[in-house]
Structures are given as C-alpha cells and as structure tokens.
Amino acid sequence: MSMSQATTRDGWIGFLSSYQWDWFTSQTFRNPTHPEAADKTFRMWISQINRTMWGPRWYKKKMSVYWVRALEWQKRDVLHFHALISHPEQDLNTLQSRLLWMDRWNQLAGYARITKPNSTEAVTRYVTKYLIKDGDLEMSPHMPHYKQSLRRVGVMPCSEETLKQGAL
C-alpha cells in the first residue's frame, strides 16, 4: 500500500469511525449482476427498511437509515457488498430483526449476513480496504454532517464556500 493510499484509507477510517454503526452486512448476488442493477436492488432493500419504520412517505419526512457500502468483485466474477447501516436516533437492532432483513435480501438477490459490530474500528477498516483494492465506496445521502466530517478528516478537501453552496 502506498503512502497516499494509506493516508486516504486512514482518512476514511477516521471519518466512518465517528459514526455509530448498528449493522455490518455482507450481501451477495446469486447471478452475475450489473453494478447499476445491484445498486438499485440495494437501494430498494434500504427503502423497504425505511418504509417499515417511517411509513410509505419516509423520504418526504426526511427520515432514513444511513449507510456506507463497499463493492467487491468475488472470484466467481459476481459482485457483492459490505455495508455499515444505522438508525439516526436509536439502535437499529432494537427496532428491526436482522434475520428478517437477511431473508428479505435472499428473496431479492442472494445470500446476506447481518451482524451487530463488536468494534467500530474493525468494521470500518474492513469496509475501507476495498478502496485500496480498486473497489467502490458509496455513502447514503442521509448521513448526518457528512460534508463537514469529510473535510475535517481530510478525505475530501474543499473550500468553505463549496460547503456553504452544498456542492458536495
């Protein structure tokens, strides 16, 4: 790992560790799936979680779980995700059944494993390793204070003017 890769990964670890994570997921696809279709499936699954907690108009209420998702290609040339997911105010584990949402993912796409993280640092390190392995890392648009936090840990340098304009 180069020095710049290590610095980038350390910045992401610092940023993601500042959040409380309720679920750590591994989600596979039974069949080869295009990344855009996989993204749509993941977002539909997240939308279903939100709907069970806040009703069909969860988006208009501006209520949502927040998440960070890493994409990785398996040896069998099928992608899978690792995600960190949390409720904005409470422990998601007390509100939703992990088993129910593993079963729901199985109905939609393939195998899923959802656990409660024992260590925030360990799961953030695991998810961020895909940045270095030419993977992809994507964040929920509902993450609280992410713009300021990214800049604070040096992951995404920008000016104060850019932050004020909401360009991130």
Side-chain angles (χ1 to χ4, degrees):
M1 180 180 339
S2 74
M3 182 66 109
S4 66
Q5 287 176 319
T7 301
T8 299
R9 183 173 181 208
D10 289 346
W12 276 105
I13 290 168
F15 166 65
L16 295 176
S17 294
S18 69
Y19 290 89
Q20 175 64 44
W21 298 107
D22 300 328
W23 288 358
F24 171 64
T25 75
S26 296
Q27 296 161 283
T28 65
F29 292 85
R30 275 182 212 86
N31 302 309
T33 305
H34 189 276
E36 289 176 12
D39 176 64
K40 187 174 183 179
T41 302
F42 179 83
R43 288 174 188 271
M44 182 171 54
W45 183 75
I46 290 289
S47 178
Q48 291 171 359
I49 293 170
N50 288 330
R51 182 180 285 251
T52 64
M53 290 190 290
W54 292 290
R57 300 195 182 275
W58 63 269
Y59 195 83
K60 290 187 183 227
K61 295 176 188 174
K62 298 185 188 228
M63 299 299 295
S64 176
V65 296
Y66 58 90
W67 50 267
V68 171
R69 182 189 70 203
L71 178 149
E72 179 187 25
W73 289 95
Q74 295 177 312
K75 290 179 183 174
R76 62 186 180 109
D77 206 29
V78 176
L79 66 83
H80 73 275
F81 296 132
H82 296 286
L84 301 171
I85 304 171
S86 279
H87 188 281
E89 299 166 350
Q90 300 177 49
D91 183 351
L92 190 56
N93 294 292
T94 64
L95 302 171
Q96 295 292 318
S97 163
R98 292 189 307 263
L99 183 57
L100 174 105
W101 291 104
M102 286 188 282
D103 288 345
R104 184 63 188 130
W105 182 263
N106 187 46
Q107 293 168 356
L108 289 171
Y111 173 77
R113 182 171 183 211
I114 304 173
T115 61
K116 181 176 181 173
N118 291 326
S119 162
T120 297
E121 182 180 352
V123 293
T124 56
R125 283 190 176 283
Y126 192 84
V127 168
T128 58
K129 79 178 183 177
Y130 297 102
L131 286 172
I132 309 306
K133 294 170 71 175
D134 292 327
D136 186 32
L137 192 67
E138 188 170 353
M139 293 187 313
S140 162
H142 305 285
M143 285 185 68
H145 313 294
Y146 76 93
K147 294 175 189 176
Q148 294 83 358
S149 298
L150 281 173
R151 184 163 183 256
R152 180 177 45 81
V153 298
V155 173
M156 185 180 293
C158 64
S159 67
E160 290 296 323
E161 189 61 31
T162 302
L163 283 174
K164 288 178 188 171
Q165 294 172 358
L168 292 179

